[in-house]
Amino acid sequence: MRLALEVYMVPGIGEIGHGDDLVTIIAEKCGHGLRDGDIIAVSSKIVSKAEGRTAPASQREQAVEAETVRVVAQKRHAAGVTKIVENRLGIVGAAAGVDSSNCAPGTVLLLPSDPDASAQAICTALRNQFGVNLGVLITDTLGRPWRVGHTDTAIGAAGFHVLDDLRGTPDAHGRPMEASITAVADEIAAAADLVKGKVSQCPVVVLRGLQKFVLSAKDFGAGSRHPSDSGAARLLRSSAEDMFRMGSDEAYEAGYSAGRRASAPG
Amino acid sequence: MRLALEVYMVPGIGEIGHGDDLVTIIAEKCGHGLRDGDIIAVSSKIVSKAEGRTAPASQREQAVEAETVRVVAQKRHAAGVTKIVENRLGIVGAAAGVDSSNCAPGTVLLLPSDPDASAQAICTALRNQFGVNLGVLITDTLGRPWRVGHTDTAIGAAGFHVLDDLRGTPDAHGRPMEASITAVADEIAAAADLVKGKVSQCPVVVLRGLQKFVLSAKDFGAGSRHPSDSGAARLLRSSAEDMFRMGSDEAYEAGYSAGRRASAPG
């Protein structure tokens, strides 16, 4: 057995407030432990808190609406309404990412205003300060339509390849791989969540062993030229490719209305 | 920084053929390296190969059809048809898991016949042989409707809690968490894939640091009594809870036909 991937907790981050400088805090808590090829996974909650992205809990519904671009599907049940929406970042998920867990009582937390830009800023500052090539990932928790439970995913990324496009790479038998693009950034977010958890206050985790995905200083400096270079926005499927743009009930109802109109006399 | 999770490659597994005994092979390659609390992630490909779950490549379409219970959505494009189906295991994904990468030329590989049972058999044998409490996970690669790329997920599991149900657990501010159930088994599959990759021949990976999810000898012996105890089938959303049971186009068309019929004179 050969150790290939290590995931480190970064203890002592503490409670983050509006205006706190995440770069200074992360740099201090990681100390000189950071190495070339490390990827730092940061919970979106602390990025939102540092940005002051809160709203009063009494205005939760308005906050969800303001963050929503489009309702994809909704379902009424005993406890209320589950709304799956596309938010202003293009992410499809419940309640546009507005969350009331792990934030100050009486408030709800919105997603960071531009998670890719936040990741880029943190990544640039840490690369400069420590002189190492590293990646930064901002994570959030998302549900899945056909599977129970949530997993953490990447909503912001910088400094590493978020996708591993293996199409055409020879497999173990020398045949080119079919439709194989690995969502590396989402797999990293999931691995980080195994260490972070949801209740322990550990919003920052360092992953070591993924250097093959981390951009060199030269490529990082040149910006993202390749589609899989960096930026979690690249993980969002375009609407033209989306076979589940509406919930089944919503699409059925839209079709039904159109069918009735088409058959209406006159 | 404190090391919290380690992921080990298990080298030397080699090519697996029909009838090979995976327990003996994994036990030999892991040697006495296995410890209490370890979780072993096994690629479904080698389970399928050991079970002889292959078909001639010329009968790929028939194999997909035989594995399919229900077509969820399909889309025609230049390269052919993408079919999202529910397979006989209840998993929703492309082509019912029938795959032609990394299998013998001229053949395609089907999913294992009962991945939860395979995980249970491997887990029981390894627990008995090494006298340690460990978990076994069988992984496969799945796409996601709204996100680009694939991630590895759990299709078989034994010996550990596949879900971490945090509903009602106090958060950092002492408030009970809302709808928070973490799909631990899928996050473990994703973490394992970061080490396995798709082209390197490393179908077995060991994760160390997740002992809190691993069942004690007593709980394992007693079978799964708690809903989140084990078994990857528990990760499948029931159709009553599924808001995306049909593709948008398919649901729209069904609604349109029904609307026309409802308006038809006479």
Side-chain angles (χ1 to χ4, degrees), chain B residues 89-177:
Chain B
L89 298 166
I91 300 166
V92 177
V98 175
D99 196 359
S100 52
S101 296
N102 286 310
C103 55
T107 67
V108 292
L109 208 54
L110 283 59
L111 289 182
S113 58
D114 183 347
D116 272 336
S118 305
Q120 184 74 25
I122 297 170
C123 191
T124 304
L126 291 176
R127 277 180 179 241
N128 289 342
Q129 178 167 348
F130 291 99
V132 291
N133 296 323
L134 41 78
V136 170
L137 177 64
I138 296 176
T139 67
D140 195 43
T141 304
L142 282 177
R144 301 89 51 85
W146 304 304
R147 298 179 72 78
V148 172
H150 301 87
T151 59
D152 266 19
T153 52
I155 65 162
F160 69 101
H161 294 275
V162 298
L163 295 170
D164 192 12
D165 190 344
L166 300 163
R167 287 173 302 180
T169 310
D171 70 10
H173 293 90
R175 283 186 303 178
M177 304 274 284

Side-chain angles (χ1 to χ4, degrees), chain A residues 16 82 99:
Chain A
I16 299 294
T82 299
D99 196 357

Side-chain angles (χ1 to χ4, degrees), chain A residues 120-266:
Chain A
Q120 184 74 25
I122 297 171
C123 190
T124 304
L126 291 175
R127 277 180 178 241
N128 290 341
Q129 179 166 347
F130 291 99
V132 291
N133 297 323
L134 41 78
V136 171
L137 178 64
I138 296 176
T139 66
D140 195 42
T141 305
L142 282 177
R144 301 90 50 86
W146 304 303
R147 297 179 73 76
V148 172
H150 302 87
T151 58
D152 266 20
T153 51
I155 66 162
F160 69 101
H161 293 275
V162 298
L163 295 170
D164 192 11
D165 191 343
L166 299 163
R167 288 173 301 180
T169 309
D171 69 10
H173 293 90
R175 283 186 305 178
M177 303 275 284
E178 280 175 10
S180 213
I181 305 179
T182 304
V184 170
D186 283 338
E187 293 194 331
I188 296 172
D193 192 45
L194 290 169
V195 168
K196 273 187 209 164
K198 292 280 177 294
V199 279
S200 62
Q201 226 164 351
C202 178
V204 179
V205 151
V206 176
L207 298 102
R208 182 162 296 160
L210 302 169
Q211 53 278 356
K212 70 173 170 176
F213 300 118
V214 175
L215 297 181
S216 68
K218 185 161 158 272
D219 285 347
F220 183 70
S224 13
R225 290 160 309 180
H226 185 273
S228 75
D229 265 3
S230 80
R234 299 188 195 284
L235 292 165
L236 304 173
R237 196 182 289 282
S238 70
S239 59
E241 295 290 319
D242 180 359
M243 294 158 82
F244 299 90
R245 198 164 158 76
M246 299 171 83
S248 310
D249 288 353
E250 287 76 8
Y252 184 93
E253 277 166 35
Y256 190 86
S257 301
R260 287 207 67 141
R261 279 196 305 274
S263 287

